[in-house]
Amino acid sequence: MAVTAPAVAQQKLKYPKQPAANEIYDAVAQPAVPLGGLEAYAQYLADKQQYPTAALQAGVQGTVTVTFVVEKTGSISNVVVAQPVNPALDAEAIRLIKGGPRWTPAQHRGGVVRQRVSVPISFQIPGDAGAGAATAAGGAPAPAGATTVVSPDSPARPVGGTDAFFEWIQQNQKYPALARQRKVQGRVMMEFIVEKDGSLTDIKPVKRLGSGLDEEAIRLLKAAPKWQPASYKGQPLKQKMVLPVVFTL
């Protein structure tokens, strides 16, 4: 009697499918991250943002969503605006992304892959919310050692409007020779108090550019026309403001 060999079941081993060489992934096992981490990247976006003068004058603000591809080398490509707000803001958002640090590329299925990334970039005009400060309701001085913060019925604003104020800044701006020589441009964030009589006091830069631009921003605000002060329940109110003074070559 012939003896047949027992049948042996053969199980085919399944290996992970290698990602296609040029495929762009939206979802991956290990997403791409900017070199230095997300917190440092957010700081880069905040520090290097230059609010376009035209958008400031028009009072335009919002969030521009930019999408791009992080290549296998860590470089970025295909930078486009997915959610536009304003042509000037859109262009500035693209400039920020293109000028940013390299990335650590994404990994998926055991290999390095290309990934599509979306980054929202917010543009907000400082002081636009109009938060009041420094005096108690009705204009009475706040108790010693205390500050009462209220929302004014009418926030402080330049006499003649924001457009006229920024136009005055541009017309009276004297670009420092050192900054021009070094090709330094950008925005100096200035903090100041609009007093009850509309004068500007406690003028100081809170975000500097150097090369003489900070001093020029201080000079401009000290020489600027008076503002219409904030009011609360019909009484003038001191208000702290933060405003960018933009310098462009």
Side-chain angles (χ1 to χ4, degrees):
M1 180 177 178
V3 179
T4 58
V8 178
Q10 293 184 351
Q11 183 177 5
K12 186 176 181 181
L13 295 177
K14 294 182 179 180
Y15 294 96
K17 183 180 178 182
Q18 290 296 315
N22 293 318
E23 186 173 352
I24 299 173
Y25 290 81
D26 290 303
V28 294
Q30 186 173 330
V33 292
L35 293 179
L38 293 173
E39 187 173 342
Y41 189 71
Q43 190 63 48
Y44 155 79
L45 293 176
D47 290 344
K48 298 299 182 182
Q49 186 183 104
Q50 298 176 5
Y51 215 114
T53 303
L56 277 172
Q57 291 178 333
V60 179
Q61 54 188 346
T63 299
V64 180
T65 300
V66 180
T67 65
F68 52 94
V69 174
V70 177
E71 299 289 347
K72 296 179 182 180
T73 60
S75 62
I76 64 172
S77 65
N78 301 354
V79 182
V80 296
V81 172
Q83 185 178 333
V85 172
N86 168 273
L89 297 185
D90 299 344
E92 172 61 10
I94 289 178
R95 185 194 70 80
L96 282 168
I97 294 297
K98 287 185 174 181
R102 295 177 71 87
W103 289 58
T104 299
Q107 294 194 26
H108 193 59
R109 293 176 181 169
V112 176
V113 297
R114 305 168 75 200
Q115 183 191 4
R116 183 179 289 105
V117 175
S118 293
V119 173
I121 299 179
S122 295
F123 293 89
Q124 184 172 4
I125 299 174
D128 189 68
T135 57
T147 298
T148 301
V149 178
V150 299
S151 294
D153 298 328
S154 176
R157 61 188 182 276
V159 174
T162 304
D163 289 353
F165 183 75
F166 280 114
E167 185 177 350
W168 184 92
I169 290 288
Q170 284 186 320
Q171 290 177 350
N172 291 273
Q173 191 178 99
K174 298 177 182 177
Y175 217 103
L178 183 60
R180 189 177 298 277
Q181 180 183 354
R182 293 177 175 176
K183 298 182 179 179
V184 178
Q185 57 183 340
R187 58 180 185 164
V188 179
M189 299 303 299
M190 299 296 297
E191 180 183 282
F192 55 93
I193 299 291
V194 180
E195 298 288 344
K196 296 178 184 179
D197 65 356
S199 60
L200 309 185
T201 63
D202 296 340
I203 299 168
K204 59 184 178 181
V206 292
K207 181 181 175 185
R208 300 172 178 269
L209 280 178
S211 301
L213 295 177
D214 307 330
E215 290 77 10
E216 173 60 11
I218 292 172
R219 185 195 70 80
L220 283 166
L221 288 185
K222 283 185 175 180
K226 283 189 173 184
W227 284 42
Q228 178 70 38
S231 64
Y232 182 76
K233 294 184 178 180
Q235 297 294 322
L237 185 74
K238 291 169 66 176
Q239 184 178 11
K240 180 183 289 185
M241 303 293 294
V242 178
L243 185 80
V245 176
V246 180
F247 293 91
T248 55
L249 290 170

